[in-house]
Amino acid sequence: MFRNQYDTDVTTWSPAGRLFQVEYAMEAVKQGSAAIGLRSKTHVVLGCVNKANSELSSHQKKIFKVDDHIGVAIAGLTADGRVLSRYMRNECINYSFTYESPLPVGRLVVQLADKAQVCTQRSWKRPYGVGLLVAGLDESGAHLYYNCPSGNYFEYQAFAIGSRSQAAKTYLERRFENFTDSSRDDLVKDAITAIRETLQGETLKSSICTIAVVGVGEPFHVLDQGTVQQIIDTFEIAAEQEDPATEPDAATGQEAATEQGTAADQGGSTDEGAAPMDI
Amino acid sequence: MAADMGGSYGSTLRYKSVERMKPFGKHSLLGASGEISDFQEILHYLDELILYDNMWDDGNSLGPKEVHNYLTRVMYNRRNKFNPLWNSLVLGGVKNGNKYLGTVSMIGVNFEDNHVATGFGNHLARPILRQEWHENLSFEDGVKLLEKCMHVLLYRDRSAVNKLQIAKITKEGVTIHQPYSLKTYWEVSAFENPAQGAIGSW
């Protein structure tokens, strides 16, 4: 979209009935590094691509634990994401204190959406520039929601946001029907594969991605690098053995072939895979 | 849950048809002892709570455990402000097949148990319940056990009134039965001629 005379204020409508500032805020989400989420009946997995400013710096934290049963992955202005995570944690704690029960995910998401909506209707505010993938478990099962800067929220079986997320979305669209009954480990594998799609050629290693899981009997936690690298190794070995033509992502068969070459070189050495500096 | 229908005004048994147990929400029942006006205030708070809960319209509903904790917070906070709601509350409910029974006092003491009581019930009824309660009580046996406790209370607690109600909560919902009276026995020989063994005029 191009600049026009109706896009200075969030409180100015365009003649076509659009709020450009809100749409620009959604653009900010598309610029952030990718985050994906998928769920089965009992588990939800979040994954994100770690972006670091330079080789010298640490990568930004994009996955936050909100409560034992809720976690969030963000894409866009991570500062806004941090503030919203703090809000979510606060809401969960307050609910837990008053009711001794975990806050239902559906409620938290509505509260978040209402908070975002306020920023689209005040002349002295700006919309939050961050998209949130909220993963959580409550009495009604496992849930994955996406919260927009516009104040809308949607429930998803699987979704991807951020830059190059379309590749991940395509992969997820092809496979989502199986997710409901997937096992936890298969779900994690699918998440890592979806992340790989967004990397488009870059080698997949555990230092580039962060994976978090929440499920029945499993409080929300981020998987440690070692575990993630092991999973990456297992399916790259499987990919080597499989005929590339029969791989589900036939479109990226070419990419997989080149990746197999580099994977073979790396073997399973986590030393090469580790970031220059890891906090 | 069982409660008699007496509403006292100090030491006068002023009101004889007070419903001291009320259902609320889909899953729960609240019974109270103490100041009736404070009980009505609490019901008002709960109505508001349930209303807001329903307004979310998201399929989630507050269960007995959540309400119990909410009430604990309310009672404790009032106690801290030296302005207590002068009640002892019993909260029971069934949600998703899970049974819950808890109590909150006017100073905010709260706990869950298999059997709870307020006031004199703690001294007269709970020992009976401790002996005779077991997990597999049928509804009829449960009522008989409660009636046994209410009998003792009727005989021994001067603020008790012989008109009681039984409330039943299952996963289908809450039913409060019509009031009825317990059969009492006063033909004890000591009451026949009370002055018989007395020295003096009484």
Side-chain angles (χ1 to χ4, degrees), chain B residues 64 93-95 97-101 112 135:
Chain B
V94 180
K95 187 178 180 196
N98 297 320
K99 299 168 284 203
Y100 187 88
L101 181 64
E112 281 173 64
E135 242 196 87

Side-chain angles (χ1 to χ4, degrees), chain A residues 146-202:
Chain A
Y146 170 53
N147 276 72
C148 272
S150 61
N152 283 328
Y153 67 95
F154 306 94
E155 183 157 13
Y156 284 97
Q157 187 72 43
F159 200 48
I161 56 177
S163 69
R164 296 186 291 202
S165 57
Q166 189 50 54
K169 263 188 259 187
T170 318
Y171 171 76
L172 293 169
E173 268 166 31
R174 236 172 303 165
R175 305 266 303 219
F176 79 95
E177 263 142 5
N178 302 322
F179 289 161
T180 316
D181 298 310
S182 262
S183 72
R184 173 215 187 264
D185 293 330
D186 282 340
L187 214 62
V188 175
K189 283 206 193 89
D190 274 318
I192 298 181
T193 318
I195 301 249
R196 189 176 64 182
E197 300 299 311
T198 68
L199 295 174
Q200 291 187 348
E202 245 179 282

Side-chain angles (χ1 to χ4, degrees), chain A residues 95 97-102 104-108 110-111 114 138-140, chain B residues 49 52-54 56-58 60-62 65-67 69-70 73 95-96:
Chain A
Y95 190 93
F97 174 70
T98 311
Y99 301 105
E100 269 225 21
S101 233
V105 200
R107 296 233 170 139
L108 180 60
V110 175
Q111 284 174 259
D114 288 346
D138 60 27
E139 276 184 357
S140 49
Chain B
L49 183 73
Y52 284 127
D53 190 41
N54 290 336
W56 284 102
D57 196 20
D58 61 356
N60 289 305
S61 57
L62 290 173
K65 176 182 175 143
E66 285 84 23
V67 179
N69 279 285
Y70 170 77
R73 290 293 117 236
K95 187 178 180 196
N96 297 336

